[in-house]
């Protein structure tokens, strides 16, 4: 049976580090930066486990700042 | 042009003139002494003929904000009310001015302050000409003294409002609103088409944004430098209006030794007092400001150069007299006020008596 | 499979709505307004109404909604959006006309306009964000603030003897003959976001097709005002707000 495989691109400069995408992700792909901040001082979200991403777009749906693009293929 | 003469109230003339001008929408709330405007519109059902929208709102606050919403889409929209209702509308009027929206507001004045009286008054002169709501702005203020002018100033008010992108007000009093007189109404004009609105009002939030960037109508600007620029632009418009749009009626001012200044219905009663004085050989003239803003400062200054005294007659405690004082160059000029309040309209003999006191230097 | 093989235009399943422009929204991190803005932008685009829509912005946190969604907008005075929308729609009957309002705007200062526009059956869509607090002015009590909820003006919690009861205006509007669709939604979870989008779409369709007044209340969070993290706010909203303001359709009159 084909399985979904996904990837996300995060606009880290637009990100305000609210953490909602991290919470929404069902496969624990995302995390907020621990130290690094963007130009506006936010600890932005980034992908820590790209291999887990299933392209479900949950992160993007709940993102209030429209920072996340989602791609998905079936393999 | 049809010259059919009709007999009607000033308030009814406003309603008929609005339909004939091709106004797109009227939004109002009943209040004495102007309810005939809305009543006449509802009875005429212009939505079946010109397509004009007529709506009784839940309050004056809502009415003026409906005007704001309609004007923002580029439509020719208006409301009418009377003094306490106009006080309620002031926030919305300030928004209209700040968003540079053309609209027409009719105030058929009644006596105040407070709930006051339903009888005629001119005590909203300050409210109409000095801003009224918050912020630095002016309305173009037209003061009709006859039913004919009630009808004529609807078109004039809209023409000026659209020319300068600023709200205009017809400041009438209960006398002009309620009295019946002969009137010749204008020809029916078509309402503007969508294409015309798009062309003539490129700023309007019509919703039809194809081929242009989205339009935003707002009075909000948190950048101080830009907000100052907005204010400077408003002031430039006001200077232009002051330069171009002063209107007044002058009567026998060429040889006048005494000058009467009065607006609206009371100016007509003053005319009778002036005729009586002239019959006695007393040279009295009248200036009747038609635009209360912009005020005819220059005309009054010129006329005052050869007068011995000025009588300002108003149905209030003395409001326009402040502008007359500003207009007159000679600080020693005897400028007096005669007014009645509470809804009382003086008769010509009371005005003649006030003139006599001025001529005889009596207090 | 390499990431670069997945990140191709043909594989894209979600991106920022086309009508949401590049301006960075002024909202605090985690604010529900951002999610609802995205939904409004998506629905307008999907319905092909980009050039046939008039939005009315409120006074409150969403006062700058017009800076983010690329359609024609009119910015209203506090509470008056339904009055503006009434005229805009009656004078331009083929347009989508919608208001976007917070709880203070819609249910306190604008109560008269809200009730009467709904009762007249104005063909407008009202997006009403209820987060139980005045966000813009710094977290004061809203008409919808829950009993016991602490705000800047109810520092010991909303006391109904002092401050009256939380106002469920949406329930009230559902009673009126002029409303055709009244619903309450939330946007705290992916599934809820999808539901909220459907509700907004239905409301917008009702406006375009002139079926009456639609009210879409969306339970929002205000992490700054509530003094919680965005995630804690979502949990708190789920636990407390939904008790007083249950999610679901209150009224849905089909064609």
């Amino acid at each position: 049976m084909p399985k979904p495989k996904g990837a996300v691109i995060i606009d880290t400069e637009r990100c305000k580090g609210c953490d909602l995408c991290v919470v929404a992700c069902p496969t624990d792909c995302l995390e907020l930066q621990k130290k690094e901040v963007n130009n506006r001082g936010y600890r932005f979200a980034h992908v820590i486990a790209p291999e887990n991403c299933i392209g479900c777009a949950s992160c993007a749906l709940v993102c209030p700042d429209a920072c996340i693009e989602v791609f998905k293929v079936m393999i | 042009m049809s010259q059919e003469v009709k007999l009607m109230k000033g308030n009814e003339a406003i309603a008929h003139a609005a339909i004939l001008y091709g106004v797109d929408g009227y939004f109002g709330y009943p209040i004495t002494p102007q309810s005939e405007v809305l009543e006449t519109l509802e009875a005429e059902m212009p939505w079946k003929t010109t397509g004009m929208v007529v709506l009784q709102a839940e309050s004056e606050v809502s009415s003026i904000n409906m005007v704001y919403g309609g004007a923002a889409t580029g439509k020719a929209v208006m409301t009418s009310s009377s003094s306490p209702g106009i006080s309620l509308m002031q926030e919305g009027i300030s928004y209209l001015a700040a968003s540079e929206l053309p609209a027409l507001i009719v105030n058929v004045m009644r006596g105040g302050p407070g709930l006051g009286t339903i009888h005629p008054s001119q005590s909203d002169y300050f409210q109409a000409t000095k801003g009224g709501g918050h912020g630095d702005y002016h309305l173009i203020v037209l003061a009709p003294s006859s039913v004919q002018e009630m009808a004529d100033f609807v078109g004039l008010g809209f023409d000026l409002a659209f020319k300068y992108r600023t709200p205009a007000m017809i400041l009438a009093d209960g006398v002009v609103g309620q009295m019946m007189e002969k009137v010749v109404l204008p020809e029916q004009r078509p309402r503007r088409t969508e294409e015309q609105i798009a062309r003539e009002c490129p700023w309007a939030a019509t919703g039809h944004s194809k081929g242009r960037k989205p339009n935003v109508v707002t009075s909000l600007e948190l950048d101080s430098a830009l907000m100052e620029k907005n204010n400077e632009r408003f002031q430039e418009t006001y200077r232009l209006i002051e330069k171009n749009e002063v209107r007044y009626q002058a009567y026998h001012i060429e040889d006048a030794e005494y000058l009467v200044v009065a607006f609206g219905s009371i100016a007509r009663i003053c005319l009778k007092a002036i005729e009586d004085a002239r019959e006695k050989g007393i040279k009295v003239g009248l200036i009747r400001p038609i635009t209360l803003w912009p005020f005819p400062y220059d005309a009054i200054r010129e006329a005052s150069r050869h007068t011995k005294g000025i009588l300002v007659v108003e149905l209030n405690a003395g409001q326009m007299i402040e502008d007359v004082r500003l207009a007159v160059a000679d600080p020693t000029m005897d400028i007096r006020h005669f007014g009645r309040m509470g809804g009382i309209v003086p008769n010509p003999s009371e005005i003649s008596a006030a003139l006599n006191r001025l001529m005889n230097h009596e207090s | 499979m390499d990431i670069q093989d997945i990140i191709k235009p043909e594989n894209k399943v979600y991106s920022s709505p086309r009508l949401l422009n590049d301006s960075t929204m002024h909202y605090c991190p985690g604010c529900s307004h951002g999610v609802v803005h995205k939904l409004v932008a998506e629905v307008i685009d999907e319905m092909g109404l980009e050039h046939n829509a008039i939005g009315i912005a409120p006074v409150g946190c969403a006062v700058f909604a017009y800076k983010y969604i690329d359609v024609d907008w009119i910015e209203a005075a506090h509470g008056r959006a339904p009055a503006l929308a009434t005229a805009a729609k009656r004078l331009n009957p083929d347009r989508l006309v919608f208001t976007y309002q917070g709880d203070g705007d819609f249910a306190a200062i604008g109560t008269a306009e809200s009730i009467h526009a709904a009762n007249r059956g104005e063909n407008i869509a009202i997006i009403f964000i209820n987060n139980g607090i005045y966000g813009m002015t710094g977290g004061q009590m809203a008409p919808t603030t829950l009993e016991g909820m602490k705000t800047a003006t109810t520092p010991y919690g909303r006391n109904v003897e002092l401050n009256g009861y939380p106002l469920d205006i949406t329930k009230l509007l559902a009673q009126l003959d002029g409303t055709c669709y009244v619903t309450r939604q939330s946007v705290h979870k992916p599934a809820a976001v999808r539901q909220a989008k459907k509700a907004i779409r239905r409301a917008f369709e009702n406006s375009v097709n002139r079926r009456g007044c639609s009210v879409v209340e969306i339970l929002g969070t205000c992490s700054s005002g509530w003094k919680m993290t965005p995630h804690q706010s979502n949990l708190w909203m789920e636990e407390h707000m939904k008790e007083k303001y249950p999610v679901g359709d209150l009224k849905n009159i089909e064609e």
Side-chain angles (χ1 to χ4, degrees):
Chain A
M1 204 172 98
K3 282 186 176 172
K5 175 88 186 111
V8 298
I9 299 175
I10 300 172
D11 183 341
T12 54
E13 282 310 316
R14 213 176 150 97
C15 176
K16 292 176 185 157
C18 75
D19 202 36
L20 291 179
C21 57
V22 178
V23 175
C25 177
T27 58
D28 301 325
C29 301
L30 302 168
E31 197 177 79
L32 291 190
Q33 288 286 358
K34 291 205 165 54
K35 286 184 181 166
E36 201 184 336
V37 294
N38 63 18
N39 281 340
R40 291 185 299 143
Y42 291 117
R43 287 166 47 222
F44 53 87
H46 70 130
V47 181
I48 49 161
E51 66 283 2
N52 290 355
C53 183
I54 53 171
C56 69
S58 292
C59 54
L61 277 168
V62 299
C63 172
D65 290 284
C67 310
I68 306 175
E69 275 186 304
V70 185
F71 301 83
K72 182 179 174 180
V73 291
M74 299 301 284
I75 53 171
Chain B
M1 162 129 185
S2 120
Q3 287 294 324
E4 193 190 347
V5 178
K6 291 187 169 168
L7 181 71
M8 64 177 71
K9 285 187 176 190
N11 289 336
E12 293 165 347
I14 293 271
H16 287 289
I19 298 168
L20 294 167
Y21 182 80
V23 170
D24 295 303
Y26 171 96
F27 305 90
Y29 186 77
I31 181 172
T32 308
Q34 63 77 54
S35 298
E36 293 88 353
V37 181
L38 175 58
E39 287 169 6
T40 306
L41 285 168
E42 294 284 5
E44 288 294 313
M45 298 195 285
W47 51 92
K48 289 187 173 175
T49 51
T50 68
M52 178 184 182
V53 169
V54 180
L55 183 62
Q56 177 171 339
E58 64 271 26
S59 68
E60 288 91 350
V61 175
S62 189
S63 305
I64 195 68
N65 283 286
M66 288 174 181
V67 167
Y68 181 61
T73 69
K75 301 286 184 178
V77 288
M78 64 181 290
T79 185
S80 65
S81 188
S82 180
S83 309
I86 297 291
S87 297
L88 267 176
M89 290 184 183
Q90 288 299 351
E91 181 198 34
I93 296 173
S94 170
Y95 274 66
L96 283 166
S99 303
E100 298 171 282
L101 293 180
L104 182 67
I105 302 136
V106 181
N107 179 2
V108 183
M109 287 181 282
R110 54 188 263 180
L115 200 48
T117 170
I118 59 169
H119 298 298
S121 172
Q122 295 180 321
S123 51
D124 295 350
Y125 179 89
F126 285 154
Q127 192 192 40
T129 62
K130 307 297 178 191
H134 59 287
D136 282 315
Y137 73 92
H138 282 288
L139 306 176
I140 297 172
V141 183
L142 303 168
S145 73
S146 64
V147 172
Q148 186 63 54
E149 281 188 341
M150 287 288 258
D152 294 346
F153 289 179
V154 170
L156 177 62
F158 271 112
D159 288 347
L160 293 173
F162 273 91
K163 181 175 178 189
Y164 295 101
R165 274 186 66 183
T166 194
M169 176 178 276
I170 293 179
L171 188 70
D173 52 61
V175 177
V176 183
Q178 288 297 327
M179 72 182 174
M180 292 186 86
E181 244 184 355
K182 288 185 295 185
V183 59
V184 177
L185 294 171
E187 298 263 292
Q188 179 68 56
R189 291 181 9 155
R191 286 170 54 233
R192 288 177 308 155
T193 61
E194 296 280 323
E195 293 69 29
Q196 263 177 299
I197 291 172
R199 199 168 56 242
E200 293 167 14
C201 306
W203 44 265
T206 60
H208 279 177
S209 54
K210 208 171 183 71
R212 62 164 166 82
K213 283 186 174 172
N215 281 334
V216 174
V217 174
T218 180
S219 58
L220 177 65
E221 181 50 73
L222 293 182
D223 182 320
S224 299
L226 293 178
M227 191 62 221
E228 185 175 52
K229 278 213 175 339
N230 284 352
N231 269 290
E232 285 167 356
R233 191 174 65 251
F234 307 156
Q235 293 303 319
E236 277 172 31
T237 303
Y238 300 144
R239 297 298 86 78
L240 209 59
I241 297 169
E242 285 172 332
K243 183 166 162 271
N244 297 338
E245 305 300 346
V246 172
R247 286 169 169 78
Y248 60 93
Q249 181 196 358
Y251 179 75
H252 282 329
I253 58 167
E254 303 74 20
D255 63 345
E257 292 177 357
Y258 293 92
L259 182 66
V260 174
V261 184
F263 70 97
S265 64
I266 192 68
R268 294 171 62 167
I269 299 169
C270 289
L271 271 182
K272 173 67 180 149
I274 290 166
E275 279 167 18
D276 290 349
R278 288 251 163 201
E279 274 175 24
K280 291 177 192 153
I282 307 163
K283 291 177 178 169
V284 187
L286 171 81
I287 288 186
R288 174 173 73 92
I290 291 171
T291 50
L292 300 181
W293 194 89
F295 191 74
Y297 290 107
D298 293 343
I300 290 172
R301 184 179 304 116
E302 277 310 308
S304 72
R305 289 193 198 285
H306 50 81
T307 59
K308 296 175 186 166
I310 299 176
L311 183 66
V312 182
V313 185
E314 304 175 76
L315 298 178
N316 59 37
Q319 299 194 11
M320 183 176 67
I321 190 172
E322 293 191 2
D323 282 317
V324 175
R325 287 204 175 104
L326 283 173
V328 175
D330 177 1
T332 65
M333 177 72 71
D334 194 354
I335 304 174
R336 297 185 181 196
H337 183 262
F338 176 71
R340 296 298 304 263
M341 292 170 282
I344 294 171
V345 180
N347 58 38
S349 63
E350 288 178 78
I351 296 165
S352 299
L355 259 175
N356 285 334
R357 288 196 294 276
L358 173 68
M359 290 187 291
N360 299 329
H361 307 288
E362 295 167 6
S363 57
Chain C
M1 191 178 197
D2 194 63
I3 293 288
Q4 291 316 312
D5 294 325
I6 305 173
I7 299 178
K8 286 178 177 169
E10 63 268 28
N11 298 333
K12 192 182 278 189
V13 290
Y14 191 97
S15 60
S16 176
R18 191 175 64 85
L19 295 180
L20 195 74
N21 60 39
D22 289 338
S23 312
T24 306
M25 291 189 271
H26 69 283
Y27 301 112
C28 305
C31 178
S32 315
H33 277 303
V35 181
V36 184
H37 280 22
K38 288 196 307 181
L39 297 183
V40 168
E42 282 173 7
V43 172
I44 293 174
D45 195 15
E46 287 166 17
M47 290 176 71
L49 295 173
E50 176 186 359
H51 299 299
N52 205 35
I54 302 172
I56 317 285
V59 170
C61 282
V63 67
F64 285 127
Y66 59 79
K67 289 194 174 184
Y68 309 130
I69 301 171
D70 281 341
V71 295
D72 281 2
W73 283 91
I74 311 169
E75 206 294 305
H78 198 18
R80 315 302 168 213
L84 272 74
T86 293
K89 180 66 179 178
R90 285 186 181 234
L91 290 160
N92 304 277
D94 67 325
R95 297 343 174 245
L96 160 66
V97 177
F98 67 96
T99 72
Y100 188 106
Q101 303 177 259
D103 40 38
D105 195 85
F106 187 67
I109 194 167
T111 312
E113 284 76 9
S114 303
I115 287 179
H116 285 280
N119 192 52
R120 284 191 303 265
E122 299 296 342
N123 295 306
I124 59 173
I126 293 167
I127 310 294
F128 161 42
I129 311 294
N130 176 10
N131 57 14
I133 205 160
Y134 281 64
M136 179 64 105
T137 45
Q140 297 85 4
M141 182 186 70
T144 51
T145 295
L146 298 177
E147 195 176 338
M149 190 173 164
K150 286 182 182 172
T151 72
T153 48
T154 54
Y156 309 107
R158 182 174 191 156
N159 174 346
V160 294
E161 283 179 29
L162 276 176
N163 312 112
Y165 295 90
L167 175 61
D168 188 345
I169 192 168
T170 303
K171 193 172 164 187
L172 203 132
L173 295 176
Q175 311 298 314
L176 305 178
D177 292 336
T179 50
C180 62
Y181 178 51
V182 180
T183 187
R184 185 179 289 121
Q185 302 291 332
S186 65
V187 289
H188 66 304
K189 283 182 175 172
V193 174
R194 288 192 178 93
Q195 277 302 116
K197 183 175 171 181
K198 281 183 193 159
I200 292 171
R201 172 139 191 163
R202 179 176 293 278
F204 283 9
E205 284 169 352
N206 288 341
S207 171
V208 173
N209 297 319
R210 303 201 279 272
R211 289 190 197 125
C213 186
S214 301
V215 182
V216 180
E217 173 180 339
I218 292 172
L219 293 178
T221 60
C222 177
S223 48
S224 297
W226 294 3
K227 306 195 192 311
M228 300 173 197
T229 67
H231 177 49
Q232 285 169 343
S233 299
N234 277 342
L235 297 176
W236 194 91
M237 190 266 282
E238 183 111 62
E239 192 180 342
H240 297 94
M241 294 280 282
K242 284 190 177 176
E243 194 187 337
K244 168 73 188 166
Y245 305 113
V247 168
D249 287 355
L250 287 85
K251 184 179 194 178
N252 189 359
I253 296 172
E254 298 291 334
E255 271 181 272

